[in-house]
Amino acid sequence: TGRAARGYAMRLTDREREVVRLLCEGHLFKTAARELGVTEKTIERHLENARDRNNAKTTTQVCVMAVKEGLIK
């Protein structure tokens, strides 16, 4: 059970929010990196931080949490 399921607000930095939004919209790391002007490794790092901070094991869990909180439409 993740933080969102227990009533906690999802914790993301602005950049992590951007990365999560792009990945949840279906972008690959490569296209997300290109859009944000960073490397794929940076995208991976932001996603890993978002997962860790929100007790999520997968990108899908992060996306579900973000949709439930209205961060992603």
Side-chain angles (χ1 to χ4, degrees):
T1 303
R3 291 179 159 272
R6 293 193 306 253
Y8 293 97
M10 193 171 191
R11 296 172 51 205
L12 296 172
T13 65
D14 290 341
R15 191 55 136 185
E16 289 166 357
R17 186 173 282 113
E18 288 178 288
V19 168
V20 167
R21 178 184 58 79
L22 290 171
L23 295 177
C24 293
E25 288 175 353
H27 286 264
L28 302 174
F29 284 14
K30 184 176 184 174
T31 58
R34 190 177 314 130
E35 184 160 326
L36 297 176
V38 298
T39 66
E40 289 180 58
K41 191 70 174 172
T42 299
I43 296 295
E44 291 175 25
R45 190 169 43 250
H46 283 307
L47 179 59
E48 181 179 332
N49 290 341
R51 282 195 315 258
D52 289 348
R53 190 175 291 120
N54 292 283
N55 297 320
K57 292 187 188 325
T58 67
T59 302
T60 301
Q61 285 179 319
V62 171
C63 289
V64 168
M65 295 166 88
V67 169
K68 285 182 177 180
E69 295 213 5
L71 300 176
I72 309 292
K73 295 179 180 167

